[in-house]
Amino acid sequence: MTQPTQAWGRMPTPPAKYERPLTDRHTNLPRPSDAQNTLLAHGWGRSYGDVALNPGHTLLHTRHLDRFMAFDPATGVLRAEAGVSLDAILRLVIPQGWFLPVTPGTRFVTLGGAVANDVHGKNHHVMGSFGDHVRALELLRSDGSRQQCSATQHPDWFRATVGGLGLTGLITWVEIGLRRIAQPDVQAINRRFASIDDYWALDAHWMPRCEYAVAWVDCLRGGRGIYTAGLHAGAQAQWRHPPAPQRQWPMTPPLSLVNRASVWGFNWLYYHRPLPPQTLMPWPAFFYPLDGIGQWNRMYGPRGFIQYQCVLPPATMRDASRELLRLIGSRGQGSFLAVFKTFGNRTAPGMLSFPRPGSTLALDFPFQGEATLRLCHELDAVVREAQGALYPAKDARMPGSMFRAGYPDWEAFSTYVDPAFSSGFWRRVQT
């Protein structure tokens, strides 16, 4: 029996009523079976909550829209169907001296999904978000109309669709500009820090010197952690790291393997592991450490997990991040994955883009029912007071009031939503 499509967080969600694969970008969209039924594109399913789910309605699977349309190895301009994965793009372009200008923490997302969520990477302070590198895209609406959009051609539709959560219609193809590299591996520096306050000093020193910067944080011990920054290595370094074969997490355990004791032990070992201050890191390990284990989300058991990712403005980020870590530590609901990054001062390309000046903290919490929701509500209060926002691509429970406060252009964006498109997330935050 085919399992209904789940989000990456694996929290139980009502299934879609229909799931239909798309294979030909030239055909019109299927008509909803009734006036109440809506459509939504779904790619590789790496959104954590319900932003790419459409409970009780129709999901349009785009994985088979996976054809490359054009690539110029002289200029690095690539056009491909929206279902092509970032992994497929990297396998094509790395041997020809190119790399993605911006990449999230997994390469197993579709090109259309990267645009719809305007994803960011470890280099926002240099390269902005994914939408900054989209040269053009085609949008197919449910009325059969098609329009090519870019920063200069139908720019209002472009701003609505980049970061538009797949609600303005179906993105059929995307054209992006890549960045030239001598080789993909990264010359990285690693530094331990004793507190979140020490993080800022490291960030002030290294971020202006490196394209990539990120920190892992021990959220149960006040925010000590490991800061990592890097640059693509020069031509003289020996490229030796193609992607290793992916191992699979074998099964879903009956209970989450992530709990206070396991997080406490893992964090201690991770913080104290041998750490070279400078090293040539394989590009898969630097950009995609979790991709080495397929279906790693199963470790959280049948109840799944919630990822909580917020962005905090520069004026409040230091005090608010310290308070978030204090709350998490005091409640004992730790996270293996606790990532801290600083965004640059760039204006986002999309109306609903998440990246903005400030710092962002991402954490995974095993879902423990009311206790987890209560913690998230407490974190919400800190983020709201700091005038921050939560990331829709990672969200599974944000109240509508918080979405509207964090995305003041939401009302203008609403006028661009295709009347036949919706999602579980969109219906939730409208109330």
Side-chain angles (χ1 to χ4, degrees):
M1 180 178 175
T2 303
Q3 295 293 319
T5 299
Q6 281 187 311
W8 191 246
R10 304 188 80 238
M11 287 176 59
T13 306
K17 189 173 183 180
Y18 306 105
E19 301 202 21
R20 297 183 175 176
L22 299 179
T23 58
D24 185 351
R25 71 176 186 274
H26 300 291
T27 60
N28 285 339
L29 295 169
R31 289 181 176 277
S33 55
D34 60 70
Q36 304 304 315
N37 197 350
T38 62
L39 309 172
L40 186 70
H42 185 92
W44 277 81
R46 295 304 178 105
S47 293
Y48 284 65
D50 52 1
V51 74
L53 297 181
N54 205 9
H57 296 249
T58 299
L59 277 184
L60 305 174
H61 290 271
T62 61
R63 282 194 191 190
H64 297 294
L65 295 178
D66 59 355
R67 301 165 188 84
F68 288 103
M69 299 164 64
F71 175 54
D72 184 343
T75 64
V77 175
L78 178 143
R79 181 178 291 192
E81 291 182 339
V84 169
S85 70
L86 300 190
D87 177 62
I89 292 173
L90 289 168
R91 284 189 276 113
L92 171 71
V93 305
I94 283 178
Q96 302 184 64
W98 296 94
F99 202 78
L100 292 165
V102 170
T103 180
T106 174
R107 61 187 187 275
F108 298 114
V109 299
T110 63
L111 194 49
V115 174
N117 292 286
D118 193 18
V119 297
H120 59 274
K122 301 176 178 70
N123 60 349
H124 183 270
H125 59 291
V126 176
M127 301 295 278
S129 57
F130 199 87
D132 284 310
H133 305 277
V134 175
R135 294 166 55 95
L137 60 86
E138 184 186 67
L139 187 66
L140 171 59
R141 300 273 288 180
S142 60
D143 62 5
S145 65
R146 295 171 185 265
Q147 56 185 345
Q148 186 168 318
C149 309
S150 69
T152 57
Q153 189 175 11
H154 303 299
D156 50 342
W157 284 98
F158 184 74
R159 289 193 65 239
T161 301
V162 171
L165 312 178
L167 296 167
T168 60
L170 179 75
I171 300 170
T172 60
W173 58 258
V174 181
E175 182 177 288
I176 59 172
L178 302 171
R179 57 150 299 168
R180 176 68 86 177
I181 54 169
Q183 62 133 318
D185 287 347
V186 175
Q187 195 68 51
I189 65 96
N190 298 301
R191 299 288 187 273
R192 289 188 179 90
F193 53 89
S195 71
I196 199 66
D197 291 329
D198 293 342
Y199 162 85
W200 299 113
L202 285 171
D203 201 46
H205 178 79
W206 287 107
M207 200 171 83
R209 293 168 169 79
C210 296
E211 175 173 346
Y212 303 104
V214 65
W216 167 83
V217 177
D218 183 347
C219 57
L220 288 179
R221 293 178 174 89
R224 70 180 184 183
I226 297 171
Y227 188 90
T228 302
L231 291 163
H232 284 288
Q236 73 280 7
Q238 183 180 1
W239 176 28
R240 51 197 171 121
H241 299 112
Q246 190 182 51
R247 294 169 291 170
Q248 296 291 318
W249 191 272
M251 58 176 288
T252 301
L255 297 172
S256 173
L257 302 181
V258 182
N259 52 51
R260 182 178 176 85
S262 62
V263 171
W264 192 273
F266 171 86
N267 284 4
W268 190 93
L269 291 171
Y270 193 78
Y271 181 77
H272 290 94
R273 76 189 197 279
L275 192 66
Q278 184 165 327
T279 185
L280 182 64
M281 281 191 71
W283 67 268
F286 184 85
F287 292 104
Y288 313 109
L290 292 175
D291 281 351
I293 302 177
Q295 302 298 317
W296 59 263
N297 53 347
R298 291 176 177 170
M299 78 170 73
Y300 287 89
R303 301 186 76 181
F305 67 102
I306 282 179
Q307 180 161 113
Y308 192 95
Q309 183 165 1
C310 63
V311 58
L312 304 164
T316 59
M317 62 187 182
R318 297 188 183 222
D319 289 342
S321 58
R322 192 181 304 111
E323 177 61 12
L324 290 173
L325 292 170
R326 188 197 66 79
L327 271 173
I328 294 164
S330 67
R331 301 301 183 267
Q333 293 197 52
S335 166
F336 285 144
L337 185 140
V339 175
F340 207 56
K341 292 193 291 274
T342 303
F343 287 146
N345 295 316
R346 296 183 64 125
T347 301
M351 293 180 181
L352 298 187
S353 291
F354 170 72
R356 63 198 72 181
S359 63
T360 178
L361 175 65
L363 308 115
D364 288 347
F365 297 116
F367 186 62
Q368 299 175 11
E370 187 56 36
T372 306
L373 295 175
R374 193 163 50 246
L375 171 62
C376 291
H377 291 320
E378 291 182 284
L379 302 180
D380 285 353
V382 177
V383 174
R384 190 193 296 266
E385 176 68 21
Q387 298 186 327
L390 302 184
Y391 191 7
K394 306 289 183 67
D395 179 67
R397 35 67 52 196
M398 160 184 3
S401 59
M402 186 141 190
F403 170 74
R404 294 188 289 274
Y407 295 86
D409 289 338
W410 72 271
E411 203 160 6
F413 167 80
S414 300
T415 64
Y416 295 91
V417 173
D418 189 302
F421 276 65
S422 186
S423 68
F425 171 87
W426 188 242
R427 292 191 289 277
R428 175 161 53 82
V429 299
Q430 296 303 296
T431 60

